[in-house]
Amino acid sequence: MKILAALFSSKGIKFVLALLALFVAWMVWSAAYKLLWIAIILAVVVGVLKLRGFFKKKR
């Protein structure tokens, strides 16, 4: 019960909110990082396909 009382005191709430904020920020950052990699891979694939099409038209 002491732990619960400590968590619901103003310092405890701030600490829990800070932890939650850090967790959310980390989740968002890791998701954005994965999305960035997916976007880079997709851009490379599309670029290669376009270049191949371009060179086939030239010949």
Side-chain angles (χ1 to χ4, degrees):
M1 284 288 123
K2 262 189 180 179
I3 294 163
L4 279 173
L7 279 178
F8 287 112
S9 72
S10 59
K11 271 186 188 173
I13 287 169
K14 281 177 187 166
F15 180 70
V16 170
L17 282 175
L19 276 179
L20 275 171
L22 274 172
F23 182 69
V24 168
W26 178 76
M27 289 283 285
V28 168
W29 187 83
S30 61
Y33 192 68
K34 282 177 192 159
L35 282 173
L36 182 72
W37 272 109
I38 291 164
I40 289 167
I41 292 162
L42 277 174
V44 167
V45 169
V46 168
V48 166
L49 288 173
K50 278 187 178 176
L51 278 174
R52 281 178 68 186
F54 179 71
F55 281 120
K56 276 181 187 170
K57 278 179 198 165
K58 260 190 153 180
R59 281 181 196 162

